[in-house]
């Protein structure tokens, strides 16, 4: 459940340190949800690297393993001129409460936010925050911070900030002096701009706790990395407000500079956080060959589609250290896959999963049941098909219409007051012909059937010792 922070903060500044230029906050508190996947926040690490490269005194607070009082104390002690809070759907309540707390304790600080939800609904955040940044902000946010700090402006005097606002793509704020909303269209960085960015600065995180989490879960520690940005596919339920539809591939030299940094911090593997790692087969093959040639001995997990992988690719993935692949299989009915605009078939998936079953790479399948336009028969198709596949893990969810998706636009009566405050819990937040309790009970029964049938794949008991 989302964590509510205390509102009765002292409004005193005694004992504060010298002012921090920029404070970045990741407002997630670990609730020990059973299906949680914890990684130190990559976007904030990237912003911190750019800000520090521009000589700004930057502090980062990752709330994941902290308690509320400790977070508030650290915020006040940092005494920031600018605060940037990352917001996604599951953290929106925490972010809004934090903003109110900071406003009370540090009224002179400029409050900013960014992330998927502010990108889609900036107006929702523009009352609690002075400035909202939409889309990719690796260039615009640091540039704005530099100009704002140099101009010695206050939060109520934003217009101009000493330069042309068009220099800050994606910026959105209420200009109270002129009674207008200022909004500059967001822009996606091209490949060259992305490759010029410094690698994410991972100095600010509790790596021992993150590593312990993954050792308990997978018997090896994982850190996230992105090798590409964007996905050209347009699934009905998928929201891509930050990186969009345009695929951009990072240069291998930068990727491997980052991998060496991750390894130096004690991590044993990589969670490749690309929307889909297999979109460009040549890019994926180049990555694998380089991992092998550099002998970095790093295991890796990824997300993938089922339609762009050959048997020789699977062999190469395994040789380079791939341990698990997550597939969005979604439905066991081709008509529903078309409705979802998935652009795959159950035959595509069947063939690929069976090929992986002949390797030492484990597979996990994601499924959605109760999709608008389904019937109870198609739902049962999915359950039956999932149980027939040689998967190592399965996950079933009830549709959640994320803002910015066609699914969100077409379902009726979405409860817009609901925050995703319960991690990984199946809840129906729109008017549906399917009974939520029925779906939950069927999902639990299918999980039990799957676990009863599943036999561990030979050699996969300890992923860190799997066959190379």
């Amino acid at each position: 459940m989302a964590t509510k922070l205390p509102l009765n903060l002292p409004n005193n500044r005694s004992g504060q340190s010298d002012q921090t230029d920029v404070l970045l906050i990741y407002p997630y508190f670990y609730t020990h949800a059973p299906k949680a996947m914890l990684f130190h926040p990559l976007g904030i690490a990237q912003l911190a690297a750019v800000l520090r490269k521009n000589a700004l005194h930057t502090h980062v607070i990752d709330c994941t393993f902290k308690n509320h009082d400790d977070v508030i104390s650290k915020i006040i002690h940092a005494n920031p001129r600018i605060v940037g809070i990352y917001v996604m759907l599951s953290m929106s309540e925490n972010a809004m409460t934090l903003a109110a707390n900071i406003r009370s304790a540090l009224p002179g600080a400029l409050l900013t936010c960014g992330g998927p939800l502010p990108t889609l609904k900036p107006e929702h955040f523009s009352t609690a925050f002075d400035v909202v940044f939409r889309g990719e902000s690796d260039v615009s946010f640091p540039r704005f911070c530099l100009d704002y700090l140099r101009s010695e402006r206050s939060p109520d005097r934003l217009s101009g900030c000493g330069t042309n606002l068009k220099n800050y793509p994606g910026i959105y704020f209420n200009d109270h002096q002129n009674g207008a909303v200022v909004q500059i269209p967001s822009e996606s960085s091209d490949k060259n701009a992305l490759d010029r960015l410094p690698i994410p600065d991972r100095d600010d995180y509790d790596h021992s706790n993150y590593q312990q989490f993954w050792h308990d879960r997978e018997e090896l520690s994982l850190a996230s990395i992105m090798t590409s940005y964007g996905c050209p596919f347009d699934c009905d339920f998928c929201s891509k407000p930050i990186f969009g539809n345009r695929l951009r591939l990072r240069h291998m030299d930068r990727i491997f500079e980052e991998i060496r940094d991750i390894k130096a911090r004690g991590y044993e593997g990589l969670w490749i956080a690309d929307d889909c790692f297999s979109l460009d087969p040549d890019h994926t093959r180049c990555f694998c060959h380089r991992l092998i040639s550099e002998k970095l001995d790093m295991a890796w997990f990824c997300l993938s589609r089922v339609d762009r992988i050959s048997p020789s690719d699977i062999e190469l993935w395994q040789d380079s250290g791939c341990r698990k692949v997550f597939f969005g299989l979604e439905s066991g009915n081709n008509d529903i896959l078309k409705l979802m605009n998935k652009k795959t078939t159950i035959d595509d998936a069947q063939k690929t999963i069976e090929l992986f079953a002949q390797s030492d790479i484990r597979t996990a399948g994601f499924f959605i049941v109760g999709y608008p336009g389904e019937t109870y028969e198609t739902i049962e198709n999915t359950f039956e098909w999932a149980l027939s596949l040689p998967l190592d893990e399965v996950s079933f969810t009830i549709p959640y219409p994320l803002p910015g998706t066609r699914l969100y636009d077409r379902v009726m009566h979405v409860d817009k007051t609901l925050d995703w405050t319960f991690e990984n819990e199946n809840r129906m937040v729109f008017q549906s012909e399917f009974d939520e309790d029925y779906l939950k009970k069927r999902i639990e029964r299918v999980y039990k059937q799957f676990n009863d049938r599943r036999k561990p794949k030979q050699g996969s008991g300890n992923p860190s010792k799997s066959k190379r």
Side-chain angles (χ1 to χ4, degrees):
M1 186 167 62
T3 305
K4 294 186 178 181
L5 304 180
L7 289 170
N8 55 335
L9 296 178
N11 189 7
N12 70 72
R13 304 167 71 87
S14 61
Q16 292 172 343
S17 64
D18 293 337
Q19 274 198 301
T20 300
D21 290 329
V22 185
L23 171 64
L24 302 175
I25 302 175
Y26 186 66
Y28 172 77
F29 292 84
Y30 182 31
T31 62
H32 297 273
K35 294 184 181 179
M37 299 177 72
L38 302 185
F39 302 101
H40 50 273
L42 196 54
I44 286 181
Q46 183 69 79
L47 281 179
V50 179
L51 291 165
R52 288 166 178 162
K53 184 178 180 181
N54 283 279
L56 292 182
H57 180 202
T58 303
H59 189 67
V60 172
I61 297 177
D62 174 11
C63 301
T64 304
F65 300 109
K66 293 180 172 60
N67 62 55
H68 316 153
D69 293 342
D70 186 37
V71 167
I72 297 302
S73 175
K74 288 180 179 296
I75 292 170
I76 294 174
H77 184 71
N79 191 19
R81 287 284 309 280
I82 300 172
V83 177
I85 301 180
Y86 174 85
V87 189
M88 60 185 295
L89 191 62
S90 58
M91 305 174 195
S92 58
E93 185 177 346
N94 286 353
M96 296 292 273
T97 307
L98 262 177
N101 296 168
I102 297 168
R103 184 79 73 195
S104 174
L106 302 171
L110 181 78
L111 297 182
T112 73
C113 69
L117 203 54
T119 295
L120 293 166
K121 294 184 171 296
E123 68 284 351
H124 178 68
F125 294 91
S126 62
T127 55
F129 292 86
D130 300 305
V131 183
V132 177
F133 283 88
R134 298 165 295 157
E136 297 175 28
S137 301
D138 296 326
V139 175
S140 59
F141 179 72
R143 184 183 292 160
F144 171 85
C145 290
L146 279 167
D147 290 339
Y148 177 82
L149 293 169
R150 287 169 179 165
S151 69
E152 298 185 352
R153 290 179 177 250
S154 59
D156 60 347
R157 298 178 60 244
L158 282 172
S159 295
C161 297
T163 187
N164 191 331
L165 285 169
K166 291 184 178 179
N167 287 330
Y168 319 125
I171 196 170
Y172 181 107
F173 65 90
N174 293 319
D175 184 348
H176 298 293
Q177 290 184 350
N178 298 314
V181 172
V182 175
Q183 50 183 327
I184 306 299
S186 59
E187 296 177 2
S188 296
S189 298
D190 62 22
K191 172 180 166 51
N192 291 332
L194 291 171
D195 284 333
R196 286 194 297 268
L197 293 173
I199 66 169
D201 188 338
R202 291 177 161 87
D203 283 346
D204 304 284
Y205 304 102
D206 186 347
H207 294 295
S208 61
N209 264 324
Y210 280 110
Q211 289 166 4
Q212 186 61 54
F213 169 87
W214 281 105
H215 268 286
D216 292 344
R217 182 185 175 107
E218 294 285 350
E219 299 183 19
L220 79 166
S221 55
L222 301 176
S224 60
I225 186 172
M226 294 190 72
T227 77
S228 68
Y229 301 89
C231 174
F233 288 90
D234 195 21
C235 297
D236 195 57
F237 50 81
C238 185
S239 180
K240 299 174 287 184
I242 303 298
F243 298 116
N245 295 331
R246 185 162 61 100
L247 178 63
R248 289 152 293 156
L249 307 173
R250 291 181 66 196
H251 195 284
M252 282 295 159
D253 289 346
R254 304 312 307 278
I255 293 170
F256 277 79
E257 178 186 357
E258 190 173 341
I259 293 174
R260 287 188 287 271
D261 178 65
I262 290 170
K263 185 177 177 65
R265 297 177 188 276
Y267 289 92
E268 301 157 306
L270 307 168
W271 170 267
I272 299 176
D274 303 14
D275 287 327
C276 177
F277 185 50
S278 58
L279 286 174
D280 187 304
D282 289 337
H283 174 79
T284 308
R285 291 167 192 148
C286 183
F287 173 87
C288 293
H289 285 301
R290 186 146 174 179
L291 262 182
I292 294 169
S293 66
E294 293 205 12
K295 300 179 180 179
L296 289 174
D297 193 29
M298 293 289 276
W300 55 276
F301 294 19
C302 73
L303 299 164
S304 177
R305 288 176 61 85
V306 296
D307 54 352
R308 298 189 175 200
I309 309 170
S310 68
S312 60
D313 286 328
I314 295 174
E315 183 178 358
L316 177 61
W317 288 24
Q318 178 175 299
D319 290 344
S320 70
C322 182
R323 294 292 172 265
K324 186 186 291 188
V325 181
F326 293 79
F327 292 101
L329 304 179
E330 319 310 354
S331 176
N333 184 283
N334 281 328
D335 289 337
I336 303 305
L337 289 173
K338 289 180 182 178
L339 180 66
M340 295 174 172
N341 200 36
K342 187 67 184 175
K343 296 193 179 344
T344 58
T345 67
I346 57 174
D347 186 53
D348 293 332
Q350 188 91 29
K351 290 177 181 177
T352 298
I353 299 302
E354 287 176 354
L355 284 172
F356 271 94
Q358 299 170 33
S359 75
D360 285 337
I361 300 174
R362 291 171 292 153
T363 53
F366 294 134
F367 300 90
I368 303 173
V369 291
Y371 207 77
E374 280 211 83
T375 65
Y376 282 100
E377 182 181 0
T378 64
I379 291 171
E380 292 303 322
N381 290 159
T382 297
F383 288 141
E384 182 180 357
W385 184 56
L387 290 170
S388 75
L389 292 170
L391 293 164
D392 297 283
E393 295 177 23
V394 291
S395 176
F396 297 94
T397 60
I398 292 173
Y400 194 94
L402 294 169
T405 65
R406 284 195 304 276
L407 173 62
Y408 183 92
D409 291 337
R410 69 186 178 86
V411 298
M412 300 298 292
H413 308 300
V414 172
D415 186 347
K416 298 181 181 179
T417 66
L418 280 177
D419 182 15
W420 196 315
T421 56
F422 294 88
E423 296 174 73
N424 303 310
E425 179 174 340
N426 280 313
R427 292 184 300 154
M428 194 68 76
V429 297
F430 61 96
Q431 187 174 17
S432 171
E433 62 189 290
F434 302 108
D435 180 72
E436 180 180 305
D437 289 337
Y438 166 81
L439 290 174
K440 286 182 177 181
K441 289 176 181 176
R442 280 295 289 127
I443 288 170
E444 289 306 313
R445 286 202 297 271
V446 173
Y447 279 145
K448 184 178 185 306
Q449 287 178 271
F450 179 83
N451 290 328
D452 288 345
R453 294 182 186 184
R454 184 168 59 94
K455 294 181 180 179
K457 184 179 294 185
Q458 186 178 2
S460 66
N462 186 339
S464 64
K465 295 182 181 179
S466 293
K467 178 182 174 183
R468 284 276 178 177

